[in-house]
Amino acid sequence: MTSRAVPGFEAPSDLRMRPPGASVIGECLRRQAASPPRSRLGTIFGRSPLSSLARPWYVGALGEIAVGRLLDGVGPGWSVLHAVPVGCDGGDIDHLLIGPAGVFTVTTLLHEGEHRRARDRDPLYAAGVGRRAVAEAARAARQLSAAAHLPIGVRALVVTVGARSLSDHASPEGVLVLRDRDLTRWLRSAPQVWHAGDVARISSIAARPGTWMTHRGEHADPVDVPAFVRLRRQVRRAAGTRAAWVAAGALAVPVAVAASIGAPVVAAMLP
């Protein structure tokens, strides 16, 4: 994303300070801020506060946050960077993982709950994501190798969040697609190719914004994570309100039916 000043927030000089989903969170909040707020009636009936423009970015942020938590918990010896901004075209790497098994770019696909999108189940869409993931890994390898002054291979991973199976995913050669539940186990069991000293050195180089930015002086966007947390709470609260109204409506139907049946009975008992 292009850099924008956010009052009270400073862009980190070490990309290890970036939270998961930072880029998409920033874009979500910008689009949400440009949308009119819910009406009082909409709030009462649980209308989602998310605008149609912000929703895709919100969904993307949820996926990146979920995978980011898994990567942060892989264990000692691993280093992970989130939302790594690349170049000056607004692109970023969802996650960059560096550890004993090598260097990986990690792309996220969300398949969970109400946010499961039909296109994510489409093999052609999955293949398109895979091709972009391969190109992203190749670009990361070029830039990381140039900054480190030695060849560094980068593998592409696509992680699906909430997918029951991967049978409908057609992936090109050069990318590995994993379910979120399998990610940690796979990484821990992968063959070792880097020693601890190598991991530390590569991680330090990868954490520099200058490794990825096209022009000197560019930096990663700051992001207002608390604002996104508040938005997420509002979305959940609205969903709870809608569920309560649905439950109330379901209860009202049998009550109304019972009342309609009971009225003639009561009338018949009257003198």
Side-chain angles (χ1 to χ4, degrees), residues 186-228:
W186 185 88
L187 289 170
R188 290 174 178 170
S189 63
Q192 178 176 338
V193 297
W194 293 107
H195 295 292
D198 299 319
V199 172
R201 181 189 174 196
I202 297 171
S203 299
S204 178
I205 294 171
R208 303 170 189 164
T211 297
W212 310 102
M213 300 302 185
T214 304
H215 303 295
R216 184 180 299 276
E218 287 184 333
H219 56 78
D221 290 349
V223 59
D224 188 351
V225 174
F228 184 79

Short mmCIF file of all heavy atoms in Angstrom, two decimals, residues 186-228:
data_model
loop_
_atom_site.label_atom_id
_atom_site.label_comp_id
_atom_site.label_asym_id
_atom_site.label_seq_id
_atom_site.Cartn_x
_atom_site.Cartn_y
_atom_site.Cartn_z
N TRP A 186 3.61 -29.51 9.41
CA TRP A 186 4.43 -29.65 8.20
C TRP A 186 5.75 -28.90 8.35
O TRP A 186 6.81 -29.43 8.00
CB TRP A 186 3.67 -29.15 6.97
CG TRP A 186 4.41 -29.39 5.70
CD1 TRP A 186 4.38 -30.51 4.92
CD2 TRP A 186 5.36 -28.50 5.08
NE1 TRP A 186 5.23 -30.37 3.85
CE2 TRP A 186 5.84 -29.15 3.92
CE3 TRP A 186 5.83 -27.23 5.39
CZ2 TRP A 186 6.78 -28.56 3.07
CZ3 TRP A 186 6.76 -26.63 4.55
CH2 TRP A 186 7.22 -27.29 3.41
N LEU A 187 5.69 -27.68 8.85
CA LEU A 187 6.90 -26.88 8.98
C LEU A 187 7.89 -27.52 9.95
O LEU A 187 9.10 -27.55 9.70
CB LEU A 187 6.55 -25.47 9.46
CG LEU A 187 5.84 -24.57 8.43
CD1 LEU A 187 5.33 -23.31 9.10
CD2 LEU A 187 6.79 -24.23 7.28
N ARG A 188 7.38 -28.03 11.06
CA ARG A 188 8.27 -28.63 12.05
C ARG A 188 8.92 -29.92 11.58
O ARG A 188 10.00 -30.29 12.05
CB ARG A 188 7.49 -28.88 13.34
CG ARG A 188 7.11 -27.59 14.08
CD ARG A 188 6.21 -27.88 15.26
NE ARG A 188 5.89 -26.67 16.01
CZ ARG A 188 4.97 -26.59 16.97
NH1 ARG A 188 4.29 -27.69 17.31
NH2 ARG A 188 4.74 -25.45 17.60
N SER A 189 8.26 -30.61 10.65
CA SER A 189 8.79 -31.88 10.16
C SER A 189 9.61 -31.75 8.88
O SER A 189 10.21 -32.72 8.42
CB SER A 189 7.65 -32.87 9.93
OG SER A 189 6.77 -32.40 8.92
N ALA A 190 9.63 -30.55 8.29
CA ALA A 190 10.36 -30.34 7.03
C ALA A 190 11.86 -30.47 7.25
O ALA A 190 12.38 -30.12 8.31
CB ALA A 190 10.02 -28.96 6.46
N PRO A 191 12.60 -30.98 6.25
CA PRO A 191 14.05 -31.15 6.39
C PRO A 191 14.77 -29.82 6.64
O PRO A 191 14.37 -28.78 6.12
CB PRO A 191 14.46 -31.74 5.03
CG PRO A 191 13.21 -32.33 4.47
CD PRO A 191 12.10 -31.47 4.96
N GLN A 192 15.82 -29.86 7.44
CA GLN A 192 16.57 -28.66 7.76
C GLN A 192 17.53 -28.32 6.63
O GLN A 192 18.25 -29.18 6.13
CB GLN A 192 17.38 -28.86 9.06
CG GLN A 192 18.22 -27.65 9.44
CD GLN A 192 18.92 -27.83 10.77
OE1 GLN A 192 18.49 -28.63 11.60
NE2 GLN A 192 19.99 -27.09 10.98
N VAL A 193 17.54 -27.05 6.23
CA VAL A 193 18.46 -26.57 5.20
C VAL A 193 19.29 -25.39 5.68
O VAL A 193 20.29 -25.04 5.05
CB VAL A 193 17.70 -26.19 3.91
CG1 VAL A 193 17.01 -27.39 3.30
CG2 VAL A 193 16.69 -25.08 4.18
N TRP A 194 18.86 -24.73 6.79
CA TRP A 194 19.58 -23.59 7.33
C TRP A 194 19.92 -23.84 8.79
O TRP A 194 19.13 -24.41 9.54
CB TRP A 194 18.74 -22.31 7.26
CG TRP A 194 18.45 -21.79 5.88
CD1 TRP A 194 17.26 -21.83 5.22
CD2 TRP A 194 19.36 -21.14 5.00
NE1 TRP A 194 17.36 -21.25 3.99
CE2 TRP A 194 18.65 -20.81 3.82
CE3 TRP A 194 20.72 -20.81 5.08
CZ2 TRP A 194 19.24 -20.18 2.74
CZ3 TRP A 194 21.29 -20.17 4.00
CH2 TRP A 194 20.56 -19.86 2.85
N HIS A 195 21.10 -23.40 9.20
CA HIS A 195 21.48 -23.44 10.60
C HIS A 195 21.00 -22.16 11.29
O HIS A 195 20.61 -21.19 10.64
CB HIS A 195 23.00 -23.58 10.74
CG HIS A 195 23.51 -24.88 10.20
ND1 HIS A 195 23.24 -26.10 10.78
CD2 HIS A 195 24.29 -25.14 9.11
CE1 HIS A 195 23.82 -27.06 10.08
NE2 HIS A 195 24.46 -26.51 9.06
N ALA A 196 21.06 -22.16 12.62
CA ALA A 196 20.54 -21.04 13.40
C ALA A 196 21.20 -19.72 13.02
O ALA A 196 20.54 -18.68 12.93
CB ALA A 196 20.71 -21.31 14.89
N GLY A 197 22.50 -19.74 12.78
CA GLY A 197 23.21 -18.52 12.39
C GLY A 197 22.73 -17.98 11.06
O GLY A 197 22.60 -16.77 10.87
N ASP A 198 22.46 -18.90 10.11
CA ASP A 198 21.95 -18.48 8.81
C ASP A 198 20.56 -17.86 8.94
O ASP A 198 20.26 -16.84 8.32
CB ASP A 198 21.88 -19.70 7.87
CG ASP A 198 23.23 -20.34 7.64
OD1 ASP A 198 24.21 -19.60 7.47
OD2 ASP A 198 23.30 -21.58 7.62
N VAL A 199 19.72 -18.49 9.75
CA VAL A 199 18.37 -17.98 9.95
C VAL A 199 18.41 -16.58 10.54
O VAL A 199 17.69 -15.67 10.10
CB VAL A 199 17.56 -18.92 10.87
CG1 VAL A 199 16.21 -18.30 11.24
CG2 VAL A 199 17.35 -20.27 10.19
N ALA A 200 19.28 -16.38 11.53
CA ALA A 200 19.38 -15.07 12.18
C ALA A 200 19.84 -14.00 11.18
O ALA A 200 19.32 -12.88 11.17
CB ALA A 200 20.35 -15.14 13.35
N ARG A 201 20.82 -14.35 10.36
CA ARG A 201 21.34 -13.37 9.39
C ARG A 201 20.30 -13.01 8.34
O ARG A 201 20.07 -11.83 8.05
CB ARG A 201 22.59 -13.93 8.71
CG ARG A 201 23.20 -12.94 7.72
CD ARG A 201 24.29 -13.55 6.89
NE ARG A 201 24.75 -12.61 5.86
CZ ARG A 201 25.47 -12.96 4.81
NH1 ARG A 201 25.81 -14.21 4.63
NH2 ARG A 201 25.84 -12.05 3.92
N ILE A 202 19.66 -14.03 7.78
CA ILE A 202 18.66 -13.78 6.74
C ILE A 202 17.47 -13.01 7.32
O ILE A 202 16.93 -12.09 6.68
CB ILE A 202 18.20 -15.11 6.11
CG1 ILE A 202 19.38 -15.79 5.42
CG2 ILE A 202 17.07 -14.86 5.11
CD1 ILE A 202 19.07 -17.21 4.96
N SER A 203 17.08 -13.35 8.53
CA SER A 203 15.96 -12.66 9.17
C SER A 203 16.26 -11.19 9.37
O SER A 203 15.40 -10.31 9.18
CB SER A 203 15.63 -13.31 10.52
OG SER A 203 15.25 -14.65 10.35
N SER A 204 17.50 -10.89 9.77
CA SER A 204 17.90 -9.51 9.99
C SER A 204 17.86 -8.71 8.68
O SER A 204 17.41 -7.56 8.66
CB SER A 204 19.31 -9.47 10.59
OG SER A 204 19.74 -8.14 10.76
N ILE A 205 18.30 -9.34 7.61
CA ILE A 205 18.28 -8.66 6.31
C ILE A 205 16.83 -8.47 5.83
O ILE A 205 16.46 -7.41 5.32
CB ILE A 205 19.09 -9.47 5.28
CG1 ILE A 205 20.57 -9.48 5.67
CG2 ILE A 205 18.90 -8.91 3.87
CD1 ILE A 205 21.42 -10.43 4.85
N ALA A 206 16.02 -9.49 6.02
CA ALA A 206 14.62 -9.42 5.57
C ALA A 206 13.83 -8.38 6.34
O ALA A 206 12.87 -7.82 5.81
CB ALA A 206 13.96 -10.79 5.71
N ALA A 207 14.22 -8.11 7.58
CA ALA A 207 13.49 -7.16 8.42
C ALA A 207 13.74 -5.71 8.04
O ALA A 207 13.04 -4.82 8.53
CB ALA A 207 13.86 -7.39 9.88
N ARG A 208 14.71 -5.45 7.18
CA ARG A 208 15.00 -4.07 6.77
C ARG A 208 14.04 -3.64 5.67
O ARG A 208 13.95 -4.28 4.62
CB ARG A 208 16.43 -3.96 6.25
CG ARG A 208 17.51 -4.41 7.23
CD ARG A 208 18.84 -4.48 6.52
NE ARG A 208 19.86 -5.11 7.34
CZ ARG A 208 21.02 -5.58 6.86
NH1 ARG A 208 21.28 -5.45 5.55
NH2 ARG A 208 21.90 -6.15 7.65
N PRO A 209 13.33 -2.54 5.84
CA PRO A 209 12.44 -2.06 4.77
C PRO A 209 13.18 -1.85 3.45
O PRO A 209 12.61 -2.08 2.38
CB PRO A 209 11.91 -0.74 5.34
CG PRO A 209 11.96 -0.93 6.83
CD PRO A 209 13.20 -1.73 7.07
N GLY A 210 14.46 -1.44 3.54
CA GLY A 210 15.23 -1.19 2.32
C GLY A 210 15.46 -2.42 1.47
O GLY A 210 15.77 -2.31 0.28
N THR A 211 15.31 -3.60 2.05
CA THR A 211 15.47 -4.83 1.28
C THR A 211 14.36 -4.98 0.25
O THR A 211 14.56 -5.55 -0.82
CB THR A 211 15.46 -6.05 2.23
OG1 THR A 211 16.58 -5.97 3.12
CG2 THR A 211 15.53 -7.37 1.46
N TRP A 212 13.21 -4.41 0.54
CA TRP A 212 12.02 -4.63 -0.28
C TRP A 212 11.54 -3.40 -1.03
O TRP A 212 10.85 -3.52 -2.04
CB TRP A 212 10.87 -5.13 0.61
CG TRP A 212 11.28 -6.28 1.47
CD1 TRP A 212 11.60 -6.25 2.80
CD2 TRP A 212 11.47 -7.63 1.05
NE1 TRP A 212 11.96 -7.50 3.24
CE2 TRP A 212 11.89 -8.37 2.19
CE3 TRP A 212 11.31 -8.30 -0.17
CZ2 TRP A 212 12.15 -9.74 2.12
CZ3 TRP A 212 11.57 -9.65 -0.22
CH2 TRP A 212 11.98 -10.36 0.90
N MET A 213 11.89 -2.21 -0.52
CA MET A 213 11.38 -0.99 -1.15
C MET A 213 12.21 -0.62 -2.38
O MET A 213 13.42 -0.80 -2.41
CB MET A 213 11.41 0.17 -0.14
CG MET A 213 10.55 -0.08 1.10
SD MET A 213 8.83 -0.38 0.65
CE MET A 213 8.10 -0.46 2.29
N THR A 214 11.51 -0.05 -3.35
CA THR A 214 12.18 0.30 -4.60
C THR A 214 13.03 1.55 -4.46
O THR A 214 14.14 1.62 -4.99
CB THR A 214 11.14 0.52 -5.72
OG1 THR A 214 10.33 -0.64 -5.83
CG2 THR A 214 11.81 0.83 -7.04
N HIS A 215 12.54 2.54 -3.73
CA HIS A 215 13.24 3.82 -3.62
C HIS A 215 13.67 4.07 -2.18
O HIS A 215 12.97 3.72 -1.24
CB HIS A 215 12.35 4.98 -4.09
CG HIS A 215 11.86 4.82 -5.49
ND1 HIS A 215 12.71 4.83 -6.57
CD2 HIS A 215 10.60 4.62 -5.99
CE1 HIS A 215 12.00 4.66 -7.68
NE2 HIS A 215 10.72 4.52 -7.35
N ARG A 216 14.81 4.68 -2.03
CA ARG A 216 15.30 5.04 -0.70
C ARG A 216 14.31 6.00 -0.03
O ARG A 216 13.78 6.91 -0.65
CB ARG A 216 16.67 5.71 -0.82
CG ARG A 216 17.32 6.04 0.53
CD ARG A 216 18.67 6.70 0.32
NE ARG A 216 19.59 5.83 -0.39
CZ ARG A 216 20.33 4.89 0.20
NH1 ARG A 216 20.26 4.72 1.50
NH2 ARG A 216 21.14 4.14 -0.52
N GLY A 217 14.07 5.79 1.23
CA GLY A 217 13.16 6.66 1.97
C GLY A 217 11.75 6.12 2.06
O GLY A 217 10.95 6.62 2.83
N GLU A 218 11.42 5.09 1.25
CA GLU A 218 10.10 4.48 1.37
C GLU A 218 10.03 3.67 2.66
O GLU A 218 11.04 3.17 3.16
CB GLU A 218 9.82 3.55 0.19
CG GLU A 218 9.54 4.28 -1.11
CD GLU A 218 9.19 3.31 -2.23
OE1 GLU A 218 9.63 2.16 -2.17
OE2 GLU A 218 8.49 3.72 -3.16
N HIS A 219 8.86 3.55 3.20
CA HIS A 219 8.72 2.77 4.42
C HIS A 219 7.35 2.12 4.46
O HIS A 219 6.45 2.44 3.67
CB HIS A 219 8.90 3.66 5.67
CG HIS A 219 7.98 4.83 5.71
ND1 HIS A 219 6.65 4.73 6.07
CD2 HIS A 219 8.20 6.15 5.41
CE1 HIS A 219 6.09 5.92 6.01
NE2 HIS A 219 6.99 6.79 5.61
N ALA A 220 7.19 1.16 5.36
CA ALA A 220 5.92 0.46 5.49
C ALA A 220 4.86 1.37 6.10
O ALA A 220 5.14 2.20 6.95
CB ALA A 220 6.11 -0.78 6.37
N ASP A 221 3.63 1.20 5.63
CA ASP A 221 2.52 1.98 6.19
C ASP A 221 2.35 1.69 7.68
O ASP A 221 2.39 0.54 8.10
CB ASP A 221 1.22 1.60 5.50
CG ASP A 221 1.17 2.09 4.06
OD1 ASP A 221 2.03 2.88 3.68
OD2 ASP A 221 0.26 1.66 3.33
N PRO A 222 2.12 2.71 8.47
CA PRO A 222 1.69 2.46 9.85
C PRO A 222 0.24 1.99 9.83
O PRO A 222 -0.48 2.22 8.87
CB PRO A 222 1.82 3.83 10.52
CG PRO A 222 1.67 4.80 9.39
CD PRO A 222 2.26 4.14 8.16
N VAL A 223 -0.18 1.29 10.86
CA VAL A 223 -1.54 0.76 10.86
C VAL A 223 -2.14 0.90 12.26
O VAL A 223 -1.47 0.69 13.27
CB VAL A 223 -1.56 -0.72 10.41
CG1 VAL A 223 -0.70 -1.59 11.32
CG2 VAL A 223 -2.97 -1.26 10.35
N ASP A 224 -3.42 1.28 12.29
CA ASP A 224 -4.14 1.49 13.54
C ASP A 224 -4.86 0.19 13.92
O ASP A 224 -6.05 0.02 13.65
CB ASP A 224 -5.13 2.64 13.36
CG ASP A 224 -5.79 3.06 14.67
OD1 ASP A 224 -5.60 2.35 15.68
OD2 ASP A 224 -6.48 4.09 14.68
N VAL A 225 -4.12 -0.73 14.52
CA VAL A 225 -4.69 -2.03 14.89
C VAL A 225 -5.87 -1.88 15.87
O VAL A 225 -6.89 -2.57 15.71
CB VAL A 225 -3.61 -2.96 15.47
CG1 VAL A 225 -4.22 -4.25 16.00
CG2 VAL A 225 -2.57 -3.28 14.39
N PRO A 226 -5.78 -1.01 16.90
CA PRO A 226 -6.93 -0.87 17.81
C PRO A 226 -8.22 -0.49 17.10
O PRO A 226 -9.31 -0.95 17.50
CB PRO A 226 -6.48 0.23 18.77
CG PRO A 226 -4.98 0.12 18.79
CD PRO A 226 -4.62 -0.23 17.38
N ALA A 227 -8.13 0.31 16.05
CA ALA A 227 -9.35 0.69 15.31
C ALA A 227 -9.95 -0.53 14.62
O ALA A 227 -11.19 -0.68 14.56
CB ALA A 227 -9.03 1.77 14.28
N PHE A 228 -9.10 -1.42 14.10
CA PHE A 228 -9.61 -2.64 13.47
C PHE A 228 -10.22 -3.57 14.52
O PHE A 228 -11.25 -4.21 14.25
CB PHE A 228 -8.49 -3.36 12.73
CG PHE A 228 -8.97 -4.57 11.97
CD1 PHE A 228 -9.60 -4.45 10.75
CD2 PHE A 228 -8.79 -5.85 12.49
CE1 PHE A 228 -10.06 -5.56 10.06
CE2 PHE A 228 -9.24 -6.97 11.82
CZ PHE A 228 -9.86 -6.82 10.59
#
